[in-house]
Amino acid sequence: MVSNGRSSDLPAGSGDRRARGTMRLGALAQQEIKGRLLEGIYTAGQKLSVEDLSAEFEVSRQPIMEALRVLSADGLVTIIPQVGCRVASYGAQEVRDFFALFAGMEGAVAALAATRRTDADLRALNEISARIGALIDEEDLIARAHAYRIHNREFHAQIHAMADSAIIADLSQRMWDLSDFLINTAELTQPLHSVAHRHLDHESIRRALQAKDGELARRTMEDHIMANVVDPH
């Protein structure tokens, strides 16, 4: 029986509540799957089974499929119609092209940050850099790589805060995700295990920002990003 255009055996708004619940489940699944992709737990080209993920997360197929669609839009997975979903795989030239573009953008951000930063901004950056430096003595490579990825994102996020540009920050988020993904899935030099080298880079960037030298900040940042695809040795 239908009354006033709404099924009489469903409370008003129940369909909306179910839709919101599905969206929340999809967001949670997306967050977890994305974390695995950025950490390199999944390998490039690996098949991602909707059925297996649904069983693991104890949700229906719909939120998993929605999560994978969002991750596909971010360039982290590839959905092949009538075939399935795989972890995205990029060729060497594509990876080099990405990091060249990424380096240019992050260099521009650093140049802006050098002219706009405050003493309080710099103190916050110093604290993050100190946490990264403390990782050098961490003997567990997996734990060190994970902690570095987190603190590295904090370090660069602080520089974006110094640049004080919401538009740039929004554009950067997707590129940073793709950068972490490529570092952990493409055949790079595994810089996340070389915390000492990365920390030295950060210190050079930090000194340029402290000196308010925009051009030096740009160059050191670009070199730091490009080190992902150029063997420092």
Side-chain angles (χ1 to χ4, degrees):
M1 178 178 178
V2 176
S3 175
N4 297 325
R6 185 178 291 127
S7 175
S8 62
D9 61 354
L10 292 176
S14 64
D16 290 341
R17 286 196 295 272
R18 280 203 300 269
R20 288 195 295 270
T22 298
M23 289 174 63
R24 286 194 295 271
L25 290 172
L28 291 172
Q30 176 197 336
Q31 183 179 18
E32 176 62 25
I33 297 168
K34 179 179 177 179
R36 296 177 185 183
L37 289 163
L38 300 189
E39 293 280 354
I41 293 174
Y42 297 135
T43 58
Q46 180 178 340
K47 181 180 178 181
L48 297 177
S49 167
V50 173
E51 290 75 14
D52 290 348
L53 290 169
S54 296
E56 179 182 354
F57 292 113
E58 299 182 338
V59 297
S60 68
R61 289 168 51 90
Q62 184 177 350
I64 297 298
M65 292 173 66
E66 179 57 31
L68 293 175
R69 279 193 290 268
V70 173
L71 294 170
S72 175
D74 290 339
L76 302 179
V77 303
T78 302
I79 297 174
I80 307 171
Q82 310 303 320
V83 175
C85 181
R86 293 187 179 277
V87 177
S89 179
Y90 295 94
Q93 185 62 57
E94 292 177 299
V95 173
R96 286 192 294 270
D97 290 347
F98 166 78
F99 278 105
L101 177 64
F102 188 38
M105 188 187 77
E106 289 299 297
V109 171
L112 283 176
T115 63
R116 297 177 179 176
R117 64 90 176 158
T118 66
D119 289 343
D121 289 333
L122 197 61
R123 285 194 294 272
L125 190 69
N126 293 347
E127 292 175 2
I128 299 168
S129 186
R131 290 199 292 271
I132 293 173
L135 294 175
I136 293 173
D137 295 328
E138 172 59 62
E139 296 181 356
D140 185 328
L141 290 181
I142 295 176
R144 186 170 68 184
H146 171 75
Y148 175 80
R149 188 180 75 80
I150 300 303
H151 294 325
N152 182 57
R153 291 287 289 259
E154 293 173 347
F155 183 89
H156 289 277
Q158 177 60 25
I159 294 174
H160 278 265
M162 292 179 178
D164 193 25
S165 174
I167 292 177
I168 289 176
D170 288 343
L171 290 172
S172 176
Q173 178 64 44
R174 183 172 180 267
M175 297 192 77
W176 269 105
D177 286 345
L178 192 52
S179 171
D180 283 351
F181 172 77
L182 291 172
I183 285 170
N184 282 307
T185 61
E187 294 182 359
L188 303 179
T189 57
Q190 295 303 318
L192 295 193
H193 290 173
S194 304
V195 174
H197 288 102
R198 309 301 283 173
H199 182 55
L200 287 175
D201 284 355
H202 284 168
E203 287 295 280
S204 295
I205 295 167
R206 189 178 61 81
R207 286 192 294 270
L209 294 170
Q210 183 173 7
K212 296 189 174 182
D213 188 332
E215 185 53 37
L216 181 58
R218 180 194 304 274
R219 290 199 309 270
T220 52
M221 179 63 79
E222 289 179 352
D223 289 345
H224 172 62
I225 298 296
M226 287 305 297
N228 289 304
V229 288
V230 178
D231 191 334
H233 304 295

